Amino acid sequence: VFFPRDGVSEVQKRQMITQEGSNVYVSAVEGNFDDAQNGVKNIFASSDLIERLSAQNIKMSSANSINWGRLLPQIIYYVSAYIDLMAQNQVSYGEPINIVVPTGNFGNILAAYYAGLMGVPINKLICASNANNVLTEFLHTGIYNRNRHFYKTMSPSMDILISSNLERLLYELTGHDAALVSGWMGELKDKGVYEINEPIFARLKQKFWADYGTDEETVAAIRSTWEKNHYLLDTHTAVAVNVYEKYVAATGDNSKTIIASTASPFKFGQSVAAAVLKPDKIAGAKDEFEILEILSAETGISIPAGIKDLDKRPVRHTTVCSRESMGQTVLGFLEIK
């Protein structure tokens, strides 16, 4: 398991460094999500590493959305959700819906796109970004430019400037023109920017809409949703709620809409608590885990079992590596010389 040392909450970090199991190895990677993901891609592209592993009868796979298999269960979310809406008489059979997904790596919203290709009636796919709004700009202009300031936000799982799964969407929109898409990805690697052609951009705009939210807007969405609906948003889903409100204001489209809720609010308890509780409630808390207990007590919502008491579990993994040394770290974990 690799995770970006500077790109996760304390709860997320604890989930990883306290992992049990004799066959589980965890390493922090110096840098952000893009650094970690690029390092993993380099591992898969290293013929030397692949050959050394193959000699030990080992073949690598990936559990994140570099692996297309990650998208399969996410496709099911949207099929299931549409069936639920029909069962609740919220939509009639064949009635198109909108889907809003908070995203940085473009995997979950791509799964919704695939669900649409498979028959789920979708009107618009609404891409919600945080201040790292490279996807918003792309969906508005057709220009993808990662040459920009990188922001560390309260929605860290979306702090991404290189959206891996966008390449897969472009492959679909171009009618599986691998050479054209490969050319764009080459420009992204070499120059940090590429621009798609007008016919593909037109297809993109037909199905997708995009905007982004600031940390301040995220806090406001968490607070208002709790006050109005007694639903506790995490910092990523709150971005989606904020962007959905912007979509309705901009378009007037009141179609039935699914907002993908992508994490537990207790993974980002400090930010969520600050949004819904009075400052004096958490002022004396000694750490983020005490804040979780306060948040649970004040809202009446139980801390998920996978998160509760993480601070009391022993730290089992302390490895830290650079992006460049991730391959060697894998070999070291496997004791391969």
Side-chain angles (χ1 to χ4, degrees), residues 60-182:
M60 291 185 300
S61 185
S62 169
N64 79 347
S65 57
I66 292 172
N67 186 338
W68 202 93
R70 165 72 175 271
L71 303 175
L72 291 173
Q74 293 176 324
I75 292 170
I76 296 169
Y77 299 165
Y78 300 107
V79 177
S80 176
Y82 191 84
I83 292 170
D84 288 344
L85 287 174
M86 286 198 301
Q88 297 164 12
N89 295 317
Q90 296 288 322
V91 297
S92 56
Y93 179 78
E95 180 182 344
I97 61 169
N98 297 325
I99 297 175
V100 191
V101 185
T103 186
N105 211 30
F106 210 77
N108 202 340
I109 196 167
L110 179 65
Y113 176 80
Y114 285 137
L117 295 183
M118 296 168 69
V120 175
I122 297 173
N123 174 42
K124 283 290 184 183
L125 293 167
I126 301 166
C127 176
S129 301
N130 61 20
N132 294 293
N133 59 347
V134 62
L135 284 169
T136 304
E137 181 180 281
F138 174 72
L139 291 167
H140 281 288
T141 67
I143 300 171
Y144 194 101
N145 187 352
R146 65 173 174 83
N147 300 318
R148 63 183 65 223
H149 181 76
F150 177 84
Y151 294 97
K152 293 181 68 174
T153 74
M154 64 172 56
S155 45
S157 299
M158 296 158 63
D159 291 348
I160 298 171
L161 293 181
I162 303 175
S163 301
S164 256
N165 287 283
L166 189 59
E167 180 177 356
R168 289 177 168 134
L169 175 66
L170 294 175
Y171 184 63
E172 297 297 333
L173 294 177
T174 59
H176 299 177
D177 190 333
L180 181 58
V181 176
S182 180

Side-chain angles (χ1 to χ4, degrees), residues 66 162 203 229 239 298 311:
I66 292 172
I162 303 175
R203 291 177 201 167
N229 306 109
V239 173
E298 292 293 324
D311 55 323

Side-chain angles (χ1 to χ4, degrees), residues 237-257:
T237 309
V239 173
V241 169
N242 171 258
V243 167
Y244 173 62
E245 291 171 352
K246 291 175 179 175
Y247 171 78
V248 173
T251 66
D253 179 14
N254 289 303
S255 301
K256 190 65 67 176
T257 300

